[in-house]
Amino acid sequence: MYKIALICEHGASTGICVRKMIEASSKLGIESDIAAHSAAKLESIINDLDCILLAPQLAFKLDHFKKTYPEHVSKMTIVNSMDFGMMDGEKILKEAVAMIEKK
């Protein structure tokens, strides 16, 4: 099972994106636990995650997160803004899974 978090600030569009990713996971038969969380909650969940996806609007925080959690850098990435804007849950999910399996 893949544990994936989509990190955001306020969550409205992120919640929609997570629903699309969950739908894609079901459709593709990928066993996963996908949820949206605020950036403030990252510290309490980071050790349990396989993949940390930052919403495009948080791209500016990536360096901060990498410095704060250096042991988790390999599982952090920014969601492609076009995919996020199109709410392409399947593509975002596939990229997250590929990143996890690459480790």
Side-chain angles (χ1 to χ4, degrees), residues 41-60:
K41 190 174 178 187
L42 185 56
E43 184 175 351
S44 66
I45 62 171
I46 197 164
N47 290 318
D48 298 327
L49 299 172
D50 297 312
C51 182
I52 301 156
L53 302 173
L54 298 182
Q57 60 270 30
L58 289 185
F60 71 98

Side-chain angles (χ1 to χ4, degrees), residues 7-9 37-43 54 58 61 65 69:
I7 306 299
C8 61
E9 283 297 331
H37 297 282
S38 70
K41 190 174 178 187
L42 185 56
E43 184 175 351
L54 298 182
L58 289 185
K61 288 192 173 188
F65 289 143
Y69 310 106

